[in-house]
mmCIF file with all atom_site columns, all heavy atoms in Angstrom:
data_model
loop_
_atom_site.group_PDB
_atom_site.id
_atom_site.type_symbol
_atom_site.label_atom_id
_atom_site.label_alt_id
_atom_site.label_comp_id
_atom_site.label_asym_id
_atom_site.label_entity_id
_atom_site.label_seq_id
_atom_site.pdbx_PDB_ins_code
_atom_site.Cartn_x
_atom_site.Cartn_y
_atom_site.Cartn_z
_atom_site.occupancy
_atom_site.B_iso_or_equiv
_atom_site.pdbx_formal_charge
_atom_site.auth_seq_id
_atom_site.auth_comp_id
_atom_site.auth_asym_id
_atom_site.auth_atom_id
_atom_site.pdbx_PDB_model_num
ATOM 1  N N   . VAL A 1 64 ? 9.461  8.390  0.353   1.00 93.00 ? 64 VAL A N   1
ATOM 2  C CA  . VAL A 1 64 ? 9.876  9.766  0.602   1.00 93.00 ? 64 VAL A CA  1
ATOM 3  C C   . VAL A 1 64 ? 11.113 10.099 -0.281  1.00 93.00 ? 64 VAL A C   1
ATOM 4  O O   . VAL A 1 64 ? 11.241 11.230 -0.817  1.00 93.00 ? 64 VAL A O   1
ATOM 5  C CB  . VAL A 1 64 ? 10.237 10.009 2.116   1.00 93.00 ? 64 VAL A CB  1
ATOM 6  C CG1 . VAL A 1 64 ? 10.900 11.249 2.391   1.00 93.00 ? 64 VAL A CG1 1
ATOM 7  C CG2 . VAL A 1 64 ? 9.091  9.799  2.928   1.00 93.00 ? 64 VAL A CG2 1
ATOM 8  N N   . SER A 1 65 ? 11.991 9.200  -0.486  1.00 93.00 ? 65 SER A N   1
ATOM 9  C CA  . SER A 1 65 ? 13.234 9.556  -1.258  1.00 93.00 ? 65 SER A CA  1
ATOM 10 C C   . SER A 1 65 ? 12.787 9.815  -2.762  1.00 93.00 ? 65 SER A C   1
ATOM 11 O O   . SER A 1 65 ? 13.401 10.627 -3.477  1.00 93.00 ? 65 SER A O   1
ATOM 12 C CB  . SER A 1 65 ? 14.286 8.461  -1.051  1.00 93.00 ? 65 SER A CB  1
ATOM 13 O OG  . SER A 1 65 ? 13.821 7.226  -1.532  1.00 93.00 ? 65 SER A OG  1
ATOM 14 N N   . GLN A 1 66 ? 11.862 9.045  -3.174  1.00 91.00 ? 66 GLN A N   1
ATOM 15 C CA  . GLN A 1 66 ? 11.323 9.234  -4.617  1.00 91.00 ? 66 GLN A CA  1
ATOM 16 C C   . GLN A 1 66 ? 10.690 10.550 -4.787  1.00 91.00 ? 66 GLN A C   1
ATOM 17 O O   . GLN A 1 66 ? 10.872 11.275 -5.701  1.00 91.00 ? 66 GLN A O   1
ATOM 18 C CB  . GLN A 1 66 ? 10.357 8.097  -4.878  1.00 91.00 ? 66 GLN A CB  1
ATOM 19 C CG  . GLN A 1 66 ? 10.999 6.705  -5.044  1.00 91.00 ? 66 GLN A CG  1
ATOM 20 C CD  . GLN A 1 66 ? 9.897  5.638  -5.061  1.00 91.00 ? 66 GLN A CD  1
ATOM 21 O OE1 . GLN A 1 66 ? 8.740  5.762  -4.794  1.00 91.00 ? 66 GLN A OE1 1
ATOM 22 N NE2 . GLN A 1 66 ? 10.308 4.439  -5.519  1.00 91.00 ? 66 GLN A NE2 1
ATOM 23 N N   . TYR A 1 67 ? 9.889  11.079 -3.749  1.00 92.00 ? 67 TYR A N   1
ATOM 24 C CA  . TYR A 1 67 ? 9.322  12.346 -3.782  1.00 92.00 ? 67 TYR A CA  1
ATOM 25 C C   . TYR A 1 67 ? 10.456 13.444 -3.913  1.00 92.00 ? 67 TYR A C   1
ATOM 26 O O   . TYR A 1 67 ? 10.383 14.382 -4.593  1.00 92.00 ? 67 TYR A O   1
ATOM 27 C CB  . TYR A 1 67 ? 8.500  12.564 -2.691  1.00 92.00 ? 67 TYR A CB  1
ATOM 28 C CG  . TYR A 1 67 ? 6.967  12.115 -2.861  1.00 92.00 ? 67 TYR A CG  1
ATOM 29 C CD1 . TYR A 1 67 ? 6.612  10.775 -2.509  1.00 92.00 ? 67 TYR A CD1 1
ATOM 30 C CD2 . TYR A 1 67 ? 6.041  12.953 -3.500  1.00 92.00 ? 67 TYR A CD2 1
ATOM 31 C CE1 . TYR A 1 67 ? 5.270  10.402 -2.746  1.00 92.00 ? 67 TYR A CE1 1
ATOM 32 C CE2 . TYR A 1 67 ? 4.791  12.557 -3.710  1.00 92.00 ? 67 TYR A CE2 1
ATOM 33 C CZ  . TYR A 1 67 ? 4.457  11.295 -3.342  1.00 92.00 ? 67 TYR A CZ  1
ATOM 34 O OH  . TYR A 1 67 ? 3.130  10.747 -3.504  1.00 92.00 ? 67 TYR A OH  1
ATOM 35 N N   . VAL A 1 68 ? 11.440 13.293 -3.140  1.00 92.00 ? 68 VAL A N   1
ATOM 36 C CA  . VAL A 1 68 ? 12.580 14.255 -3.025  1.00 92.00 ? 68 VAL A CA  1
ATOM 37 C C   . VAL A 1 68 ? 13.294 14.255 -4.468  1.00 92.00 ? 68 VAL A C   1
ATOM 38 O O   . VAL A 1 68 ? 13.565 15.374 -5.030  1.00 92.00 ? 68 VAL A O   1
ATOM 39 C CB  . VAL A 1 68 ? 13.621 13.783 -2.009  1.00 92.00 ? 68 VAL A CB  1
ATOM 40 C CG1 . VAL A 1 68 ? 14.878 14.705 -2.162  1.00 92.00 ? 68 VAL A CG1 1
ATOM 41 C CG2 . VAL A 1 68 ? 12.955 13.943 -0.627  1.00 92.00 ? 68 VAL A CG2 1
ATOM 42 N N   . SER A 1 69 ? 13.498 13.067 -5.112  1.00 90.00 ? 69 SER A N   1
ATOM 43 C CA  . SER A 1 69 ? 14.161 13.096 -6.389  1.00 90.00 ? 69 SER A CA  1
ATOM 44 C C   . SER A 1 69 ? 13.362 13.777 -7.432  1.00 90.00 ? 69 SER A C   1
ATOM 45 O O   . SER A 1 69 ? 13.896 14.484 -8.328  1.00 90.00 ? 69 SER A O   1
ATOM 46 C CB  . SER A 1 69 ? 14.532 11.683 -6.870  1.00 90.00 ? 69 SER A CB  1
ATOM 47 O OG  . SER A 1 69 ? 13.371 10.897 -7.088  1.00 90.00 ? 69 SER A OG  1
ATOM 48 N N   . VAL A 1 70 ? 12.079 13.458 -7.352  1.00 92.00 ? 70 VAL A N   1
ATOM 49 C CA  . VAL A 1 70 ? 11.099 14.197 -8.348  1.00 92.00 ? 70 VAL A CA  1
ATOM 50 C C   . VAL A 1 70 ? 11.074 15.695 -8.051  1.00 92.00 ? 70 VAL A C   1
ATOM 51 O O   . VAL A 1 70 ? 11.165 16.489 -9.018  1.00 92.00 ? 70 VAL A O   1
ATOM 52 C CB  . VAL A 1 70 ? 9.727  13.621 -8.214  1.00 92.00 ? 70 VAL A CB  1
ATOM 53 C CG1 . VAL A 1 70 ? 8.758  14.517 -8.860  1.00 92.00 ? 70 VAL A CG1 1
ATOM 54 C CG2 . VAL A 1 70 ? 9.569  12.248 -8.726  1.00 92.00 ? 70 VAL A CG2 1
ATOM 55 N N   . GLY A 1 71 ? 11.125 16.180 -6.882  1.00 92.00 ? 71 GLY A N   1
ATOM 56 C CA  . GLY A 1 71 ? 11.177 17.590 -6.451  1.00 92.00 ? 71 GLY A CA  1
ATOM 57 C C   . GLY A 1 71 ? 12.485 18.283 -6.999  1.00 92.00 ? 71 GLY A C   1
ATOM 58 O O   . GLY A 1 71 ? 12.495 19.357 -7.579  1.00 92.00 ? 71 GLY A O   1
ATOM 59 N N   . LEU A 1 72 ? 13.587 17.540 -6.921  1.00 91.00 ? 72 LEU A N   1
ATOM 60 C CA  . LEU A 1 72 ? 14.863 18.164 -7.444  1.00 91.00 ? 72 LEU A CA  1
ATOM 61 C C   . LEU A 1 72 ? 14.918 18.319 -8.852  1.00 91.00 ? 72 LEU A C   1
ATOM 62 O O   . LEU A 1 72 ? 15.315 19.376 -9.367  1.00 91.00 ? 72 LEU A O   1
ATOM 63 C CB  . LEU A 1 72 ? 16.034 17.104 -7.001  1.00 91.00 ? 72 LEU A CB  1
ATOM 64 C CG  . LEU A 1 72 ? 16.353 17.096 -5.461  1.00 91.00 ? 72 LEU A CG  1
ATOM 65 C CD1 . LEU A 1 72 ? 17.395 15.937 -5.217  1.00 91.00 ? 72 LEU A CD1 1
ATOM 66 C CD2 . LEU A 1 72 ? 16.962 18.458 -5.078  1.00 91.00 ? 72 LEU A CD2 1
ATOM 67 N N   . ILE A 1 73 ? 14.444 17.273 -9.636  1.00 91.00 ? 73 ILE A N   1
ATOM 68 C CA  . ILE A 1 73 ? 14.391 17.365 -11.208 1.00 91.00 ? 73 ILE A CA  1
ATOM 69 C C   . ILE A 1 73 ? 13.349 18.411 -11.538 1.00 91.00 ? 73 ILE A C   1
ATOM 70 O O   . ILE A 1 73 ? 13.667 19.137 -12.536 1.00 91.00 ? 73 ILE A O   1
ATOM 71 C CB  . ILE A 1 73 ? 14.146 15.987 -11.740 1.00 91.00 ? 73 ILE A CB  1
ATOM 72 C CG1 . ILE A 1 73 ? 15.192 14.980 -11.305 1.00 91.00 ? 73 ILE A CG1 1
ATOM 73 C CG2 . ILE A 1 73 ? 14.112 16.153 -13.241 1.00 91.00 ? 73 ILE A CG2 1
ATOM 74 C CD1 . ILE A 1 73 ? 15.066 13.692 -11.964 1.00 91.00 ? 73 ILE A CD1 1
#
Side-chain angles (χ1 to χ4, degrees):
V64 170
S65 64
Q66 288 168 348
Y67 273 91
V68 170
S69 66
V70 164
L72 289 172
I73 300 184

